[in-house]
Amino acid sequence: MSRQPTPSLTRQAIVRTALAMVERDGYAAFTMPRLGEELGIRTASLYHHFRDRADILTEIARTIVLETDVPRLAPSTHWTEYFVTLAVNFRRTILRHRNAAPILLQFLPRDVLTPLYETAAEVLEQADELAPSSRILVLDGMDRIGLGSALLEAAAAPDAHGPFPNASPQAQPTLTAALERNTLDAEQLFVESIRAFLAGVLAGQQARRG
């Protein structure tokens, strides 16, 4: 006989509470017994709604990803700016949930992201200057550079200020001098990295044609 869900307790309520716990106490502190205690129920009741801990963590990752605002490509907007805006929006979503970054790394919901890739592919299809053979390069690069760097930034120590926080003027004088001359904050560096990648794809096309 199948188990019936506990009345008034929904999957959404459980996920919201689980995410709040992770953000407050950290990923390592999250356990099923602690979640049951937080909700005021027996741990066994959670299994009426989720198969196991991994199932809850997967739903937390889905919840975070779905918070991201997906831009629309206006007729006057260059296609590269669509990808810059999408990457920035995703980065901001991830950084709102820094303690959940390990969950996203392990349980990234590809089923949620795939429709976003389809939309992005449609945007690239309209980009006349981009060769069809370069579309996957853009999509894969945005995934690795945009998503990957945002997750690494979120997983970094909270007191890490800027890139290369451990650089020492004595041990790394050249790197330290470069850092002192940098005028971009973390988000600006992220944006310019995305733009540089996209510009590089276009430049590479031109070089191959030439």
Side-chain angles (χ1 to χ4, degrees):
M1 184 175 180
S2 63
R3 297 175 295 181
Q4 296 300 312
T6 303
S8 76
L9 189 63
T10 65
R11 283 175 63 92
Q12 292 78 11
I14 293 170
V15 170
R16 283 196 301 271
T17 301
L19 178 55
M21 286 179 60
V22 169
E23 292 181 336
R24 184 189 67 212
D25 304 325
Y27 170 58
F30 175 76
T31 65
M32 296 292 274
R34 289 195 65 192
L35 177 57
E37 182 180 345
E38 192 86 7
L39 290 163
I41 61 173
R42 293 179 299 125
T43 303
S45 297
L46 294 169
Y47 295 98
H48 293 306
H49 302 270
F50 294 92
R51 292 187 304 275
D52 49 29
R53 179 175 181 268
D55 196 18
I56 294 178
L57 294 174
T58 298
E59 199 61 32
I60 288 175
R62 287 173 58 87
T63 298
I64 293 172
V65 169
L66 288 170
E67 283 185 18
T68 302
D69 182 27
V70 179
R72 297 192 177 207
L73 182 65
S76 60
T77 303
H78 194 268
W79 66 269
T80 56
E81 290 307 302
Y82 171 88
F83 285 93
V84 169
T85 302
L86 179 60
V88 168
N89 290 352
F90 207 178
R91 174 183 177 273
R92 289 174 178 173
T93 297
I94 291 171
L95 294 182
R96 283 198 300 269
H97 304 284
R98 280 182 176 271
N99 278 349
I103 298 174
L104 287 169
L105 283 169
Q106 187 174 355
F107 298 96
L108 191 67
R110 290 292 175 182
D111 61 318
V112 175
L113 290 173
T114 302
L116 297 180
Y117 295 140
E118 172 65 15
T119 300
E122 292 171 355
V123 170
L124 293 178
E125 191 173 37
Q126 301 173 39
D128 295 335
E129 64 185 322
L130 185 71
S133 59
S134 295
R135 292 171 188 166
I136 293 301
L137 174 60
V138 170
L139 295 174
D140 185 63
M142 290 298 301
D143 195 43
R144 294 172 185 271
I145 299 171
L147 177 59
S149 65
L151 286 171
L152 287 173
E153 183 180 354
D159 57 351
H161 300 295
F164 317 111
N166 297 322
S168 163
Q170 291 74 35
Q172 296 88 26
T174 308
L175 175 58
T176 302
L179 287 168
E180 290 173 350
R181 289 174 173 80
N182 171 54
T183 60
L184 303 177
D185 62 26
E187 183 167 293
Q188 290 169 333
L189 283 169
F190 178 82
V191 167
E192 292 308 315
S193 295
I194 297 296
R195 286 186 175 142
F197 163 68
L198 296 174
V201 171
L202 293 175
Q205 279 188 176
Q206 294 300 322
R208 288 191 294 273
R209 289 171 181 167

